[in-house]
Amino acid sequence: MFNFDKLAKRLKNHERNILGHETAVRSAVLIPLVKKNGEWHVLFEVRSQLLKRQPGEICFPGGKVEKEESDAAAAVRETCEELRIQPAALEVLGSLDILVQSPFFFVYPYVGVIEDPAEIDPNEEVEEVFTVPISWLAEQEPELHYLEMKIEPDQNFPFDLIPNGENYNWRRQRKPEYFYRYGDYVIWGLTARILVHFLNLANQ
């Protein structure tokens, strides 16, 4: 039975989250900062060609947040595993905004400093690592292109339950895609979107 007082108390103490977070896949990544010749760089990974998902693409260290694991702990664990460094060699500076890629996939980005880049010894998931000066990135205007996201109801969708039925005016989504070209490397996708957010924050 509905209890107004109980509801009011619950709402007062409710911590806001993203609707659907309980069932969404959560991934955490870390933007590693390293200092080279007195200048700050961002470190990127090139994914191994042997991986089933996104082989050869450029990314930040990261991966799935395991059950009962915090997103911050996952970012550190994945970074240490992929770059084969000790947690003590990594200082986490803080978090960036959550990237909601879809109602079923959230990405939690962090920023950290690797004190000694010479200790990095990438594992088998990483083809290579490279760094880009933040000063160079800050001066670049990334190429901007768009993906049109179209809704396609399945064949059993109950059109009779919604206004205009099969002629319902579904709202299309226009998704921005950023591209950075650095020598032979092309940084794009989720990595570029998180990078744009990081650079905007860094330059404020």
Side-chain angles (χ1 to χ4, degrees):
M1 181 178 293
F2 176 70
N3 184 313
F4 177 84
D5 292 334
K6 188 175 181 180
L7 172 65
K9 184 177 180 181
R10 181 169 293 170
L11 288 175
K12 185 176 181 180
N13 298 316
H14 179 71
E15 292 187 14
R16 185 170 57 180
N17 209 321
I18 301 172
L19 194 63
H21 70 93
E22 306 95 336
T23 56
V25 173
R26 296 186 302 141
S27 182
V29 301
L30 185 131
I31 300 178
L33 305 182
V34 297
K35 211 166 191 179
K36 297 175 65 176
N37 301 319
E39 185 175 6
W40 286 105
H41 289 230
V42 175
L43 183 140
F44 297 89
E45 296 179 352
V46 179
R47 291 171 61 83
S48 169
Q49 295 290 347
L50 301 178
L51 295 175
K52 292 181 179 179
R53 291 184 63 253
Q54 301 172 304
E57 293 200 17
I58 292 168
C59 66
F60 295 122
K64 185 178 179 181
V65 179
E66 301 295 344
K67 191 175 181 181
E68 307 302 331
E69 181 182 40
S70 71
D71 43 272
V76 170
R77 175 181 55 77
E78 290 283 352
T79 300
C80 291
E81 288 176 1
E82 293 173 18
L83 300 181
R84 288 202 277 223
I85 60 174
Q86 295 300 315
L90 176 63
E91 178 190 358
V92 178
L93 299 180
S95 62
L96 300 177
D97 291 346
I98 300 168
L99 174 58
V100 180
Q101 177 68 354
S102 79
F104 316 106
F105 182 46
F106 305 158
V107 182
Y108 297 79
Y110 285 80
V111 180
V113 174
I114 298 176
E115 297 295 342
D116 186 2
E119 294 183 4
I120 294 173
D121 179 26
N123 71 7
E124 66 282 354
E125 297 178 16
V126 183
E127 192 81 20
E128 63 171 302
V129 297
F130 66 96
T131 67
V132 182
I134 293 179
S135 59
W136 184 90
L137 288 166
E139 294 173 355
Q140 305 307 307
E141 190 69 34
E143 295 179 31
L144 177 59
H145 301 277
Y146 292 91
L147 293 174
E148 294 288 342
M149 314 293 286
K150 182 181 178 182
I151 295 176
E152 291 281 357
D154 65 29
Q155 59 182 359
N156 296 319
F157 190 84
F159 287 106
D160 57 308
L161 300 181
I162 64 175
N164 297 322
E166 294 187 20
N167 295 318
Y168 185 83
N169 186 21
W170 298 101
R171 183 175 296 180
R172 294 194 178 207
Q173 295 182 340
R174 202 165 182 239
K175 178 184 171 187
E177 286 288 352
Y178 299 96
F179 293 79
Y180 288 91
R181 301 172 188 258
Y182 184 71
D184 294 331
Y185 300 108
V186 177
I187 304 163
W188 75 291
L190 289 178
T191 303
R193 291 185 68 191
I194 294 170
L195 180 61
V196 167
H197 171 42
F198 164 73
L199 293 171
N200 287 338
L201 188 64
N203 291 329
Q204 285 180 359

